[in-house]
Amino acid sequence: MTSIDLNADLGEGFGRWRLTDDEGLLSVVTSANVACGFHAGDAATMRRVCALAAERGVRIGAQVSYRDLAGFGRRAMDVPAAELSAEIAYQIGALEVFARAAGTRVAYVKPHGALYNRVVHDAEQAAAVVDGVRLADATLPVLGLPGSRLLDLARRAGLPAVPEAFADRAYTDEGTLVPRGQDGAVVTDPAVVVERSLGLARSGTVTSLSGARVEVRARSLCLHGDTPGAVELARLVRDRLREAGVRVEAFV
């Protein structure tokens, strides 16, 4: 039976501001990418989300980012490799404290936003992320785009490399994500998101923004938690996958 992990970005708020319905999404997904304070999140939020995830058996992932709270981690930044490596380890370590307090551990690492897209092609930044992960825990899997420099370098460093796909983001003909500033970059029609999820899980393919068929073989499927109706959409995707005979389970 085909299986797929469902992950979502959670804990994306700080103080009195909350962007994601963490409790709702944790009733659906199998892996939670928890913001570690650099693009969103704070200590109280990380603690709360880790506790909820542990209660529901959802795997906790550290969603690491450039230090860009004002820009939600989506602005291009040039961070020296040594500094970036240390900041990656710092974020993982911060989340690990709260994961352990909840009786579990950080299970994987996933870059966020501008960093995620940068390490698709930038070998130096990708190597810095890998170094930071190894500094924190040399056994942690790394989640990233299929064919990216990040996953290639993670494998070479002995880290489990886990390819992921996006049901609600548009793809280029080369299999990369269409930049968010471009029209059509985010897929909002629930029916289309559900069908794309099925295609990605069962055949490892998706239709690009130009209409081409693109191969995107992934072990995990990301559903963004900051889109309107995210919880209901996640339920629709999960239920449709199960109806189609796809087992929904964590990759780690």
Side-chain angles (χ1 to χ4, degrees):
M1 180 185 289
T2 301
S3 65
I4 194 78
D5 169 63
L6 290 183
N7 77 74
D9 302 344
L10 301 179
E12 291 185 328
F14 52 88
R16 297 176 61 186
W17 175 65
R18 291 189 184 183
L19 178 63
T20 49
D21 183 350
D22 299 325
E23 189 164 357
L25 285 165
L26 283 169
S27 68
V28 181
V29 300
T30 47
S31 296
N33 316 316
V34 183
C36 298
F38 273 37
H39 74 281
D42 57 24
T45 301
M46 286 189 280
R47 184 179 186 181
R48 175 178 56 81
V49 175
C50 284
L52 287 170
E55 286 175 7
R56 300 178 186 196
V58 177
R59 301 298 185 270
I60 295 171
Q63 187 160 46
V64 296
S65 170
Y66 287 127
R67 189 188 291 270
D68 180 27
L69 197 60
F72 197 61
R74 288 179 175 163
R75 296 185 294 189
M77 303 183 77
D78 290 315
V79 180
E83 182 179 337
L84 179 59
S85 177
E87 291 188 339
I88 296 301
Y90 178 92
Q91 292 174 78
I92 297 168
L95 188 65
E96 177 69 6
V97 169
F98 300 115
R100 286 192 182 188
T104 186
R105 299 289 300 272
V106 169
Y108 65 94
V109 178
K110 174 184 172 178
H112 166 82
L115 180 59
Y116 187 98
N117 291 315
R118 180 78 171 266
V119 296
V120 171
H121 300 296
D122 190 317
E124 181 183 48
Q125 294 282 279
V129 171
V130 170
D131 287 345
V133 174
R134 293 179 70 241
L135 179 60
D137 184 341
T139 68
L140 284 175
V142 176
L143 200 60
L145 204 70
S148 64
R149 298 307 300 270
L150 175 65
L151 293 192
D152 178 50
L153 291 172
R155 290 189 193 96
R156 296 186 190 188
L159 300 174
V162 183
E164 79 165 334
F166 294 81
D168 53 6
R169 287 294 309 278
Y171 280 82
T172 68
D173 292 353
E174 292 73 38
T176 57
L177 299 179
V178 173
R180 279 184 173 269
Q182 187 173 330
D183 289 342
V186 179
V187 181
T188 57
D189 186 332
V192 175
V193 173
V194 169
E195 289 309 308
R196 286 164 68 88
S197 299
L198 272 177
L200 287 163
R202 299 176 73 181
S203 65
T205 60
V206 68
T207 301
S208 73
L209 191 60
S210 73
R213 205 70 179 158
V214 179
E215 184 175 295
V216 182
R217 299 205 173 270
R219 179 65 188 86
S220 186
L221 185 64
C222 180
L223 296 167
H224 283 94
D226 59 347
T227 55
V231 176
E232 183 56 34
L233 180 57
R235 287 199 184 101
L236 287 172
V237 169
R238 181 199 60 190
D239 293 345
R240 185 68 184 93
L241 287 169
R242 288 175 172 171
E243 289 169 4
V246 178
R247 186 171 59 244
V248 177
E249 62 181 4
F251 65 83
V252 63

